[in-house]
Amino acid sequence: MGVSFEQARTARPTPEIAPAPTAGSKGMSLKFEIQPATNPASEKERAARLVDPGFGRIFTDHMAVVRYNQAKGWHGARVESRANFPLDPAAAVLHYAQEIFEGLKAYKRDDGGVNLFRPDANARRFWNSAERMAMAPLPEPVFIEAVEQLVRIDRAWMPGGEGSLYLRPFMIASEVFLGVKPSAEYIFAVIASPVGSYFKGGPAPVSIWVSENYTRAAIGGTGAVKCGGNYAASLRAQAEAIDHGCDQVVFLDAVERRYIEELGGMNVFFVFDDGSLLTPPLGTILPGITRDSIIALAKDSGTRVREEAYTIDQWRADAASGKLKEAFACGTAAVISPIGKVCSASGDFLISGGAAGPVAMGLRKKLVDIQYGRAADPHNWIRKVL
Ligand code: PLP
Ligand code: COI
């Protein structure tokens, strides 16, 4: 008999999101050469694009780029006009998908300044992703400096109100070679996209589809890191969710096909009638920075939080008995989105009668108030860029 999901998961824990940085190249920094765009969008054009930005369709004028090769290490750090990359058709990323990315946001404070939320945690997760994908890890200060320089030069693109500037750091394997091996050259870049809500309905409850045909991650695989391949593999399941009238897909574990893992691009929490929270344990899921922040905020207010396996059958039973009060998805893009309806091949069920619950909305407010600088920041999560 094989190893159960629980046995395998606990035998091989994956790193938490924030292992202590060690000395050496992890701490190395670089000076960025700043080359302002010669043809930035006009003020009028920018204002028009910022009216209803949606998610991920409009972009700022600049990008940050740093290159790696074995002779020079990380070098050539620049902020320059956002433009196409010239890529040889034999570049390794185009064939073997050696690619990783991150997602974080910059928030405009009421005093006009700009906050980043836990960029150090994104930098460390990026390092872990690079190690798993056999890529050259990027020193944490270079990651943070690239993000900060881009926010500073493109500050005019910061949306007001509840909008934010979504930052997308990523790294691609650029060596021109068709042999299957870790690339000897990489391009790291950061682009920025002014965004509103990830879901069209804002924080209105979303519906999710339980994927019974496809899984996202296996033990020993890449589920715990942020590589593009995980998302490519999720698209068929996400398309199935859309076909069934749902907003997002939720994946089950790949071994027993019954433990809830996470959504295509978000972690998940459950709220019970005793006020406690439960979220699936780390292992094959992405160690979300929002997930980690919610655990900390809930614990701050004395809420019991369990990081424990939870099955789809239990979820259905707890929703029916009234033991489960709420469920919500969370992530940088989605913030906190209540889950109103769960659909699967074996039937649908509602949560909180399909409405947004008070625990999800209360945690959302707490988190967002810290991010926008409207509330105290007891965990030192905020980094003021401007
Ligand atoms: N899980 C997946 C698969 C994701 O893509 C994301 C988004 O980044 C998350 C969870 C949430 O992570 P975070 O809160 O760090 O954005
Ligand atoms: C994020 O929340 O930053 C993500 O990367 C999720 C993605 C689906 C937009």
Side-chain angles (χ1 to χ4, degrees):
M1 205 190 112
V3 192
S4 80
F5 170 67
E6 264 307 281
Q7 285 166 327
R9 189 185 58 72
T10 45
R12 287 222 48 198
T14 44
E16 296 285 331
I17 59 165
T22 51
S25 63
K26 240 179 180 173
M28 183 197 92
S29 57
L30 286 177
K31 187 160 171 40
F32 279 73
E33 184 189 326
I34 312 288
Q35 286 206 334
T38 46
N39 58 344
S42 69
E43 211 175 317
K44 197 170 153 215
E45 207 179 324
R46 195 170 58 232
R49 290 198 214 159
L50 284 174
V51 171
D52 182 16
F55 184 88
R57 290 208 183 271
I58 65 165
F59 297 95
T60 64
D61 294 312
H62 297 88
M63 63 182 184
V65 183
V66 191
R67 286 168 197 275
Y68 176 91
N69 66 31
Q70 283 172 338
K72 294 190 192 162
W74 287 106
H75 66 281
R78 286 157 65 107
V79 172
E80 60 194 21
S81 196
R82 184 176 178 280
N84 293 347
F85 289 131
L87 265 194
D88 190 285
V93 65
L94 300 177
H95 303 269
Y96 309 123
Q98 213 190 357
E99 189 269 355
I100 56 172
F101 68 97
E102 268 304 326
L104 69 162
K105 282 174 173 173
Y107 305 86
K108 199 182 211 172
R109 297 191 307 273
D110 287 343
D111 66 6
V114 176
N115 286 346
L116 284 174
F117 184 71
R118 304 188 69 181
D120 51 325
N122 291 95
R124 285 197 283 278
R125 189 168 65 187
F126 199 65
W127 178 284
N128 291 339
S129 297
E131 286 197 323
R132 174 62 184 85
M133 300 300 286
M135 302 171 88
L138 183 78
E140 186 180 321
V142 179
F143 180 102
I144 294 178
E145 183 70 10
V147 166
E148 288 195 355
Q149 290 288 359
L150 185 62
V151 171
R152 285 199 191 100
I153 200 164
D154 280 335
R155 63 180 301 178
W157 287 92
M158 287 290 314
E162 293 298 298
S164 55
L165 189 64
Y166 183 78
L167 297 150
R168 172 52 63 87
F170 63 101
M171 191 201 298
I172 59 173
S174 52
E175 186 180 356
V176 178
F177 181 57
L178 292 183
V180 181
K181 64 149 192 102
S183 174
E185 293 169 20
Y186 296 94
I187 300 171
F188 166 72
V190 190
I191 54 174
S193 173
V195 297
S197 187
Y198 185 70
F199 292 113
K200 279 204 191 82
V206 295
S207 53
I208 61 173
W209 169 253
V210 182
S211 179
E212 289 170 8
N213 293 327
Y214 304 101
T215 58
R216 176 183 174 275
I219 292 146
T222 57
V225 301
K226 214 160 161 56
C227 61
N230 288 345
Y231 298 79
S234 78
L235 295 177
R236 190 68 198 84
Q238 175 64 22
E240 212 178 65
I242 302 289
D243 286 348
H244 287 87
C246 291
D247 298 301
Q248 271 280 317
V249 59
V250 64
F251 289 101
L252 303 177
D253 77 277
V255 179
E256 298 187 31
R257 303 284 188 109
R258 58 195 191 107
Y259 294 104
I260 310 291
E261 295 235 303
E262 63 180 319
L263 278 58
M266 288 148 230
N267 294 118
V268 62
F269 276 82
F270 306 94
V271 185
F272 295 96
D273 55 0
D274 63 357
S276 68
L277 297 183
L278 183 150
T279 190
L282 298 183
T284 49
I285 63 169
L286 190 77
I289 293 158
T290 318
R291 175 189 179 279
D292 187 71
S293 309
I294 289 168
I295 292 173
L297 291 176
K299 287 185 175 169
D300 286 351
S301 56
T303 300
R304 188 162 76 100
V305 186
R306 288 174 290 151
E307 294 179 65
E308 285 174 15
Y310 190 57
T311 65
I312 177 66
D313 291 342
Q314 196 63 47
W315 188 4
R316 192 189 300 272
D318 289 344
S321 72
K323 188 174 172 205
L324 181 91
K325 290 293 175 202
E326 299 178 35
F328 60 86
C330 67
T332 298
V335 195
I336 290 182
S337 292
I339 297 171
K341 189 176 178 189
V342 182
C343 309
S344 75
S346 43
D348 304 350
F349 58 96
L350 288 182
I351 297 163
S352 318
V359 175
M361 297 316 282
L363 281 165
R364 183 187 164 99
K365 179 167 186 336
K366 256 190 193 157
L367 179 66
V368 167
D369 281 352
I370 294 174
Q371 290 169 331
Y372 283 89
R374 299 190 288 249
D377 173 27
H379 296 279
N380 281 323
W381 286 334
I382 296 302
R383 193 174 167 111
K384 288 187 177 178
V385 186
L386 287 162

